[in-house]
Amino acid sequence: MPVATLLPFTATPNRKSASPTSFRLTEKFILLLVFSAFITLCFGAIFFLPDSSKLLSGVFFHSSAVETNTRTGPDSSDPGSAGNDERVLAKIKKDHEKALLEAKDTLQKRPDEIKQDILNDKDKVAKESLGQGGNDVNKLPFVEYHRPPGATGHEPEDPEAKDRRAKIKEMMKHAWGSYRRYAWGSNELRPVSKQGHSSNLFGSIKGATIVDALDTLYIMEMFEEFDAATDWIEKNLDFNVNAEVSVFEVNIRFVGGLLSAYYLSGKEVYRRKAVELGEKLLPAFKTPTGIPWALLNLKSGIGRNWPWASGGSSILAEYGTLHLEFMHLSKLSGNPDFAQKVMNIRKVLNRLDKPQGLYPNYLNPNSGQWGQHHVSVGGLGDSFYEYLLKAWLMSDKTDEEGKKMYYDALQAIETNLMRKSSSGLTYIAEWKGGLLEHKMGHLTCFAGGMIALGADGAPGDKTGHQMEQAAEIARTCHESYARTALKLGPEAFRFDGGVEAIATRQNEKYFILRPEVIETYMYMWRFTHDPKYREWGWEAVQALEQHCKVEGGYSGVRDVYASTPNHDDVQQSFYLAETLKHDNNVFHPRVIDHRPGRSDCFVSHIHDSRDGSGNIN
């Protein structure tokens, strides 16, 4: 075909042959410009009118909604047309209001926050492009592994200490062997009935005792048992469950246990599993403030808080006991989200006014305001303070924010909560809206070890003072054991009504194999080498062996003041993970514990094993 027929306006017109109706070159050019402008106007309207995406879908894809609106326009006799118009107008108004709110929120943010939001959105898009919504845990970045020195191979020179340490290892073998025989793969063991026990804290995740006990098995050089646990984890530990779990409990027992095992052994399966589980916990932080939910469905990513927790608040000890593990997850995965989530918790807390410098146990994740003004260094609050101190130690003492938060909080605790009984026993009371409840929990007894651990970095000349406080708390907690029939400490003890260091309520007389008192003995031996702490630790070992050991393992007891034990039939996972390990370390020449966050000496602190109603499982 001749080019002239394709582009007639480029041909030279033959004026002689032009008819009256034919167009001259200039006229054709003008028409072409008009036509081009018209096309541009039409397409511009399509792309820039409000809700243009829906208009495009109607033009090109014949959206049923567009077709309906076209057929039922203002001239239509359809009686529903007016209603459709109202709905369209209402939607436009709603979208407009939403856009204004989003713009207002953005304008109120600092430039660095806006920049971080943009970076976060880019990271999210990049992760979604992987097709897995996050890091591919099978393609983790290379991390050079260095085996920590001193974890194994050290024996005490003192024959008595050596024999006692051997006895504790024998107890560990009985506890582990019973679990393996009667409850292998279950979360915990019922040692009296010799069957598995599964707490609702872990949803349908299995193997809590296996994961929680890994570092104790390794430190005690029970390598055959450690390898059996590794094999089970490789083949059976599954986090792809449609179940609601406690974010706190799953973090400290599963994530903490896996990280500990990785740092001790260097086995990649532990790093891979820890990162996989960490990724599944991240949706818990999807709240208006970034303060995480207490409970999370691992499949749907939907979270909520305990219904009993002060109007749906999050709990200080729960959202405050994620920092150490999540900082390590960022390091081991290359994913900065873990660290950013827990650092944001600090930002929220630092913006809030603290009553008397204290941190209440309840914080609403929607409003970012405190709930009920209840303060405790025991249940609901305890490990928040521990993690502040250990975050500073873990950072090689560069985390100045964590250091300041810890020492400021400790000063407020000393001023407002520490008291002496009439006979001179130092205790840490609970604070409820300005009124003291003169009760100290077994969980609070960890504070003696914590204060000793932090004394060396205390501001000014307070190192000696804090060591004295630690020693006094250790003595008080020892008295709570010594004043019972079974020589085991109650869940809580009081200093009122003429009693001291004694439980006066029936629901506070139980003992569930908790580690906190022995943990403080361990720290005090480590820092003072006073032999009484070894003796106190050995007293606890003897009481455990005499009153908690049964044919099928070790059980908690319902009343420590009774002459004979009434067993609760649960061998808690933390008995293997902490209680026996701390006692072992009392007789170890150098304290080693490789939970994340240690700085030479770190002890993970596992907390209140309760279900949502507050009942012991």
Side-chain angles (χ1 to χ4, degrees):
M1 181 182 290
V3 175
T5 59
L6 284 174
L7 302 172
F9 53 87
T10 62
T12 303
N14 187 341
R15 293 179 183 271
K16 291 182 180 179
S17 63
S19 65
T21 59
S22 64
F23 292 98
R24 291 190 296 273
L25 176 63
T26 53
E27 292 170 333
K28 290 179 180 180
F29 185 73
I30 291 170
L31 282 173
L32 179 62
L33 287 176
V34 171
F35 182 72
S36 299
F38 178 75
I39 293 298
T40 302
L41 180 63
C42 291
F43 274 88
I46 289 173
F47 281 104
F48 294 104
L49 281 173
D51 218 8
S52 59
S53 61
K54 292 187 177 180
L55 183 59
L56 279 170
S57 67
V59 172
F60 294 112
F61 302 105
H62 303 289
S63 165
S64 59
V66 174
E67 288 179 347
T68 302
N69 288 338
T70 304
R71 288 194 299 268
T72 58
D75 297 331
S76 170
S77 59
D78 187 346
S81 62
N84 288 336
D85 290 343
E86 290 177 0
R87 283 193 293 272
V88 171
L89 290 172
K91 185 180 186 309
I92 292 172
K93 181 179 179 182
K94 184 178 179 181
D95 291 344
H96 181 64
E97 291 174 347
K98 181 180 178 181
L100 286 175
L101 284 173
E102 290 176 352
K104 184 178 179 182
D105 289 342
T106 300
L107 289 172
Q108 290 177 341
K109 292 183 178 180
R110 298 192 305 271
D112 60 324
E113 291 178 325
I114 296 173
K115 183 178 180 180
Q116 188 60 54
D117 287 345
I118 294 170
L119 292 174
N120 290 342
D121 288 342
K122 290 173 68 176
D123 288 342
K124 183 178 179 181
V125 171
K127 289 176 184 177
E128 289 173 350
S129 69
L130 291 175
Q132 296 180 355
N135 283 341
D136 184 347
V137 296
N138 293 311
K139 297 180 180 178
L140 294 174
F142 171 76
V143 174
E144 187 175 0
Y145 173 74
H146 298 281
R147 187 176 183 276
T152 58
H154 289 258
E155 286 291 336
E157 295 179 0
D158 176 28
E160 183 180 63
K162 188 174 182 178
D163 289 344
R164 290 178 174 182
R165 192 162 175 247
K167 175 60 181 177
I168 297 164
K169 183 174 180 178
E170 178 188 306
M171 295 169 70
M172 178 66 181
K173 287 183 175 181
H174 179 61
W176 176 263
S178 297
Y179 167 78
R180 190 170 182 181
R181 187 176 304 113
Y182 303 118
W184 187 244
S186 298
N187 282 317
E188 290 168 321
L189 165 68
R190 290 195 178 277
V192 177
S193 53
K194 298 178 181 178
Q195 61 185 3
H197 168 62
S198 291
S199 166
N200 62 354
L201 295 170
F202 313 118
S204 52
I205 300 177
K206 302 299 183 183
T209 293
I210 296 174
V211 177
D212 215 3
L214 286 167
D215 53 353
T216 306
L217 292 172
Y218 196 95
I219 290 167
M220 290 187 177
E221 300 182 22
M222 296 171 62
F223 298 124
E224 181 180 340
E225 293 85 349
F226 183 85
D227 289 342
T230 303
D231 184 64
W232 185 91
I233 288 168
E234 187 97 55
K235 296 176 180 177
N236 300 290
L237 185 58
D238 183 16
F239 306 128
N240 296 310
V241 295
N242 183 12
E244 190 176 63
V245 304
S246 163
V247 174
F248 162 71
E249 294 286 357
V250 166
N251 177 65
I252 59 176
R253 304 203 203 198
F254 284 91
V255 178
L258 291 166
L259 291 174
S260 305
Y262 170 71
Y263 284 120
L264 283 165
S265 70
K267 292 182 181 293
E268 277 295 309
V269 61
Y270 295 127
R271 178 166 75 126
R272 188 174 71 251
K273 289 287 186 181
V275 173
E276 178 189 350
L277 180 54
E279 290 278 1
K280 289 187 173 294
L281 294 179
L282 284 175
F285 293 84
K286 290 182 179 179
T287 66
T289 59
I291 298 296
W293 300 114
L295 301 168
L296 180 72
N297 185 293
L298 292 183
K299 183 176 182 180
S300 68
I302 295 174
R304 67 182 179 99
N305 277 335
W306 299 108
W308 48 264
S310 186
S313 290
S314 298
I315 296 169
L316 182 67
E318 296 194 340
Y319 67 77
T321 311
L322 302 169
H323 190 99
L324 302 181
E325 292 84 358
F326 273 53
M327 294 298 283
H328 277 274
L329 287 175
S330 272
K331 177 183 176 182
L332 295 177
S333 69
N335 181 358
D337 284 359
F338 296 109
Q340 289 169 0
K341 299 297 185 188
V342 291
M343 291 305 293
N344 177 66
I345 292 173
R346 286 191 185 175
K347 290 180 181 179
V348 174
L349 293 175
N350 284 330
R351 287 198 295 262
L352 289 168
D353 290 329
K354 287 84 177 171
Q356 307 297 319
L358 298 167
Y359 289 84
N361 290 337
Y362 301 109
L363 177 62
N364 190 296
N366 293 313
S367 67
Q369 299 299 314
W370 300 118
Q372 177 187 357
H373 280 196
H374 174 213
V375 178
S376 168
V377 185
L380 307 180
D382 45 7
S383 50
F384 163 71
Y385 306 99
E386 175 193 11
Y387 268 45
L388 290 176
L389 171 61
K390 290 178 179 175
W392 174 56
L393 296 176
M394 183 178 75
S395 71
D396 199 20
K397 300 185 177 181
T398 61
D399 181 1
E400 291 296 326
E401 181 181 57
K403 177 184 179 182
K404 183 178 189 306
M405 291 175 73
Y406 168 72
Y407 287 110
D408 286 352
L410 186 60
Q411 182 59 54
I413 289 167
E414 179 182 354
T415 302
N416 296 285
L417 305 182
M418 280 193 190
R419 295 292 184 267
K420 276 190 180 291
S421 70
S422 57
S423 67
L425 292 177
T426 297
Y427 62 97
I428 304 177
E430 297 189 8
W431 190 83
K432 295 184 176 180
L435 300 176
L436 283 183
E437 183 178 12
H438 297 274
K439 175 186 78 169
M440 185 169 175
H442 192 291
L443 289 163
T444 317
C445 285
F446 91 98
M450 176 185 73
I451 294 170
L453 179 62
D456 185 53
D461 58 352
K462 291 187 177 181
T463 295
H465 173 64
Q466 291 190 6
M467 283 304 300
E468 289 175 4
Q469 286 180 328
E472 289 175 2
I473 291 169
R475 181 167 76 96
T476 298
C477 293
H478 176 255
E479 285 299 313
S480 76
Y481 273 54
R483 299 182 185 193
T484 70
L486 302 182
K487 305 306 176 188
L488 295 167
E491 180 69 5
F493 45 94
R494 294 181 179 266
F495 296 85
D496 54 19
V499 301
E500 294 185 1
I502 294 175
T504 58
R505 304 182 184 183
Q506 190 60 41
N507 65 354
E508 296 174 349
K509 295 181 179 181
Y510 60 85
F511 171 75
I512 57 170
L513 309 174
R514 288 202 188 277
E516 290 78 19
V517 173
I518 298 172
E519 177 182 351
T520 282
Y521 295 163
M522 183 203 72
Y523 274 116
M524 296 307 297
W525 162 253
R526 174 74 171 85
F527 291 115
T528 70
H529 283 269
D530 186 330
K532 73 181 178 186
Y533 296 114
R534 277 189 160 176
E535 289 305 312
W536 291 355
W538 184 243
E539 289 172 7
V541 168
Q542 292 176 303
L544 286 165
E545 187 73 352
Q546 182 178 354
H547 301 299
C548 298
K549 184 179 182 180
V550 296
E551 184 180 356
Y554 289 85
S555 171
V557 296
R558 301 183 190 280
D559 187 346
V560 294
Y561 299 96
S563 57
T564 56
N566 178 12
H567 295 111
D568 66 10
D569 197 19
V570 179
Q571 179 177 282
Q572 305 279 350
S573 78
F574 54 68
Y575 177 66
L576 292 80
E578 296 187 88
T579 308
L580 291 176
K581 180 169 58 190
H582 298 338
D583 247 325
N584 173 76
N585 285 343
V586 171
F587 300 100
H588 195 290
R590 182 169 182 262
V591 176
I592 296 291
D593 189 328
H594 295 275
R595 290 283 165 151
R598 75 249 174 258
S599 176
D600 177 44
C601 162
F602 174 92
V603 180
S604 99
H605 182 54
I606 306 238
H607 282 275
D608 211 353
S609 298
R610 297 171 180 269
D611 62 22
S613 64
N615 297 318
I616 297 300
N617 294 298

